[in-house]
Amino acid sequence: MAEEGSIRFAFRLYAAALLCLSIVPAPCKAQATPADAPIVQPGAPGHSNKTLTAATAAGPHREPSEADVKFMQDMIMHHGQAVEMTELLKTRSHNTEVQAIGDRINVSQTDELRYMKQWLQDRGKPLASEHDSMAGMDMSGMDMADMAMMPGMLTPRQMDTLRKSTGSTFDHLFLTGMIQHHTGAVNMVKQLFNTQGAGQDPQLFDFANDVDNTQLAEIDFMQHMLKKEHQ
Amino acid sequence: MIARLTSSFTRSAVITALALSVSFCAAQTTSSVYTNPRAGADDPRIGLKGGLYDAGEAAFGLKRIVSLPKPAGFAPDLAAIAAIDAAPEPAPGAPRAPRPPGPAGPAPYGTTNSDLAFSSTHLFVGNYNGVNFYDISDPAKIKLVTSMVCPGGQGDVSVYGHLLFMSVEAANGRLDCGTQGFPVPAAATPTPAPEPASPAAPGAPVARQRPPLPPPSSDRVKGVRIFDISDISKPKQVADVQTCRGSHTHTLVVDPKDKDNVYIYVSGSAAVRQAEELAGCSGADPSADPDTALFTIVVIKVPLAHPELSKVVNSPKIFTDPASGDVNGLWKGGTHGEGTQTTSATRGCHDITVRSDLGLAAGACSGNGILLNISDPVHPVRLDAVNDPNYAFWHSANFSNDGTKVLFTDEWGGGGQPRCRSTDPMNWGADALFNLKDGKLTLASYYKMPAPQTELENCVAHNGSLIPIPGRDIEVQSWYQGGVSIVDFTDISHPIEIGYFDRGPVDGTRHAMGGQWSTYWYNGYIYGSEIARGVDVFKLVPNKYLTQNEIDAASQVHVAELNVQNQEKFSWPANYVVAHAYIDQLARSNSLDAKQVSSLNAAIAKNKSKELKTMAASLDKDAAAAKSPVDANRMHKLADIIKQGGAPLQASLN
């Protein structure tokens, strides 16, 4: 193990050296190689330390949990509907304030869609799960109009009503619909962190926490706008 | 336990707060508030080539003197990156098409470098996978001395004497510093079927789901780890102070009146733990549970003689509305008017910076910037709270050296998103600069790193520290992949950039997390922790905004330790090095003409005390008619120095 580790370590140094030889000299001149320092893993309080090798320091390679992958796949579909809703705003709403919050939601959800797709792609995972599509299912005899795909997502009937409305009716439906939609996303984050073994991927942890922070804030914002409707 | 302490405190805090007449700034109009403009198309930071270790660079007023890549265990996996780069892009419109196998593992760019702390000749670089200790006795030859592996982001660090503190909030933090995390169930995770949304009225509350909770684990740690680093090569974990929301960041608080203890303010923004794992933890709405772990910070007391006995001593409800007693008393989110930014509800603080010498703390607390009286560090009392229509997420704060200004940052997008594009407003994801007078904060201007960045570069305002240039307020600041920007906010109504360093994106073809997390001045050098690339060491170089004399004056300020959130007041020796810095500043602002400058320089060079005393007297007199109060102050300071006369040794330093 130790031998294997040091070989890999040596390879990394070699790779770094190669990079330095082949690329512009200016940045490389200053690029020093890692020093030969001990890698210590402290024990719990009262327990002794361990010494790790370069190979073991990074820890075991861990596949993302099924719940992590499902969270990202579901959230892609979830965000997709929010973007669709904000697109409708451009032609349906005449309220600049509603358009402003819509623009912000559009920016953040579009950025996050890209982020989630890349997260899945980097881990060799499909962008959608099998459950995310009803295609191929026999839905005869089922009324799907009132079924939402994900927590908080608007039902086909709700989306249809939104598409057909304009002006202040649209604004009201947009705000209430987006609050419902965001509340669903916040619950999806809660559910992720309540699933055994989930959320241990640091990037996913940061991302999910930011979704939580951002969408809670946007919910508050939209609730205030709804209150103003009644004033 | 925590809760019981709190309720009695809350009452007294409320009374004191009322007495101090806490104000809550209403929406502020932004039209009159200055925002620095975006840089022009000729800015050298535009169009830099991407790359991990070979990116294009642009610098002004700053010189990168050395960089160390992250060490083994933390470093990028070059083979994995090459494999990702070589893999063909998946065909669009085929979301379930087979993907290339994932060679990357969880982090092709290694584990995330985070905050920095300094002690004597050592630099401590926090990381999601532990902390790396560097020897900086010769900063140009910075050397790794110990890698400490102990996962659990963010790994924010502080150091006090032989104690090292580290923040843990992530889901994989273990008491034993193990890298294995916690087991994922072997069988397929039973994912509850998606619940149909209520077909009732839109906006109706979504039915709560009750997924199976993960079993609580006695191996898990969220909170603050404490290490004994008396032997720098053998850090020893002495205590873990567990908290309900973990520690996203923390702040070392040194009470000048208490020599036996130090304190830690814990800011947590993640989900609240189960009561089964940590007794007393509740994430309920305060109306349902007044002892909720929301709407509070946590205070830890560290007995220096027995750090193993460190414990939570208070959980002050610092957002309480003094009138109603509602603990959710501050900004609850909402609109500030047309076209304004969304603000996060104030459910906790993200980061707090203290000035123990002033008895003040500035808290960046999700939806608010707040000011606390910390004369009694265990019982902080809110003095003021502000919100801002352009602010999404209040992230961190720095005081000016004289304590009359506060620079807050807004981490719009959480740090992972590219928010410095040419389409992103210059007052979103920016610094907000406030005047601080009589315990009240007033918005003066916004500052954002001016060079537009690409879609591939995560960029928003992040951590920075003051550079101790006498006579000026200057901050060196990180902007993730927007690089480093040095801002002069001496004129708080018109902050200007006086230096920068930027690299092209970590990856020139696809988004990869990277960039400067923290960039701090420490004893003559600037150190940056680059998330993906490692540690950078910089030196200031003179330019049209900054002279060598000013840099030399700053370099005279030496501190034994630096924890930026425990901000200490700088002071300068009354010598000619500092005098020359003031002379340069007065010459730059035309408060001294060329003749005055040369005669002052000549008198200092000869060190003629009689002549100098005469000059000092006229400086004091001229100060009354100075072009600005800042210049008047510089003239008085300069006069004070030359009145005393500089020792030859001090003069020769120049």
Side-chain angles (χ1 to χ4, degrees), chain B residues 320-342:
Chain B
T320 301
D321 177 351
S324 67
D326 183 357
V327 299
N328 178 9
L330 286 185
W331 184 236
K332 292 171 190 160
T335 177
H336 302 261
E338 250 170 51
T340 56
Q341 176 65 294
T342 303

Side-chain angles (χ1 to χ4, degrees), chain B residues 519-593:
Chain B
T519 314
Y520 298 148
W521 168 277
Y522 180 67
N523 294 347
Y525 290 80
I526 291 169
Y527 298 83
S529 78
E530 219 284 356
I531 290 170
R533 291 162 169 135
V535 181
D536 295 313
V537 186
F538 304 92
K539 270 205 94 136
L540 288 174
V541 290
N543 62 63
K544 63 177 172 173
Y545 302 110
L546 192 66
T547 65
Q548 188 62 49
N549 287 328
E550 291 177 288
I551 298 170
D552 290 344
S555 300
Q556 291 191 113
V557 176
H558 272 253
V559 292
E561 269 170 9
L562 178 68
N563 300 291
V564 169
Q565 289 73 34
N566 174 32
Q567 198 180 328
E568 292 184 60
K569 188 173 187 177
F570 298 128
S571 56
W572 293 268
N575 62 19
Y576 288 151
V577 180
V578 176
H580 281 298
Y582 287 129
I583 293 170
D584 288 352
Q585 290 166 9
L586 291 164
R588 187 185 293 121
S589 60
N590 295 317
S591 278
L592 290 179
D593 61 30

Side-chain angles (χ1 to χ4, degrees), chain A residues 104-121:
Chain A
R104 281 196 296 279
I105 292 172
N106 190 294
V107 169
S108 57
Q109 303 256 324
T110 305
D111 284 348
E112 289 168 13
L113 270 171
R114 172 194 46 72
Y115 186 92
M116 293 186 284
K117 285 177 183 168
Q118 192 178 326
W119 187 93
L120 288 164
Q121 199 177 315

